[in-house]
Amino acid sequence: MANLERLRLLEEFAKEEPNNPFNWYALALETETSQPDKALFYFRKVLKDFPEYLPVYFPSAHFFAENELIQEAKETFESGIELAKQLKESKALRELQNAYQNFLFEYDLD
């Protein structure tokens, strides 16, 4: 029940402040396991509408990989790494690069 309430609240925030990427990002995270189709929509929305929102890259790339959207996961990791370099966010860059290397190894990609 608490999850449904939180979901309704997040949907309300997104409606009230549609230009705040965090609202859509929070919806993506909230629906990741219970409603993967919705999460997919929300992750793609944040990546498309707010490409400068660095926090979305790591979880969305993992989500894509877990849902067998391998090429989309790869491109998301690569875009996130480039953005982290541009923003000089060294901690996020390290995390994304490490996760990307693990992803490449796990899916036997180059």
Side-chain angles (χ1 to χ4, degrees), residues 64-81:
F64 296 147
E66 287 170 8
N67 288 276
E68 299 177 22
L69 300 165
I70 304 308
Q71 188 58 37
E72 195 167 357
K74 186 176 189 291
E75 291 166 6
T76 302
F77 273 123
E78 290 167 354
S79 297
I81 288 168

Side-chain angles (χ1 to χ4, degrees), residues 10-25 27 42 45-46 49-50 52:
L10 291 171
E11 287 170 344
E12 193 58 38
F13 290 155
K15 203 180 297 179
E16 288 172 11
E17 288 184 274
N19 293 323
N20 182 342
F22 178 78
N23 293 328
W24 301 106
Y25 173 63
L27 277 166
Y42 292 133
K45 176 175 181 51
V46 177
D49 295 351
F50 309 98
E52 71 294 340

Side-chain angles (χ1 to χ4, degrees), residues 2 7-8 10 15 23 25-26 43 53 57-59 69 71 79 83-84 93 97 99 101 103-105 109-110:
L7 187 57
R8 272 194 225 102
L10 291 171
K15 203 180 297 179
N23 293 328
Y25 173 63
F43 277 129
Y53 191 67
Y57 286 87
F58 188 93
L69 300 165
Q71 188 58 37
S79 297
L83 180 62
L93 178 60
Q97 286 174 326
Q101 289 307 311
F103 163 79
L104 291 176
F105 179 76
L109 305 169
D110 317 322

Side-chain angles (χ1 to χ4, degrees), residues 22-66:
F22 178 78
N23 293 328
W24 301 106
Y25 173 63
L27 277 166
L29 295 178
E30 187 66 30
T31 56
E32 213 170 352
T33 50
S34 60
Q35 298 172 295
D37 290 347
K38 272 192 173 182
L40 179 61
F41 170 81
Y42 292 133
F43 277 129
R44 285 177 173 165
K45 176 175 181 51
V46 177
L47 290 165
K48 181 178 144 306
D49 295 351
F50 309 98
E52 71 294 340
Y53 191 67
L54 187 57
V56 75
Y57 286 87
F58 188 93
S60 59
H62 273 287
F63 177 82
F64 296 147
E66 287 170 8

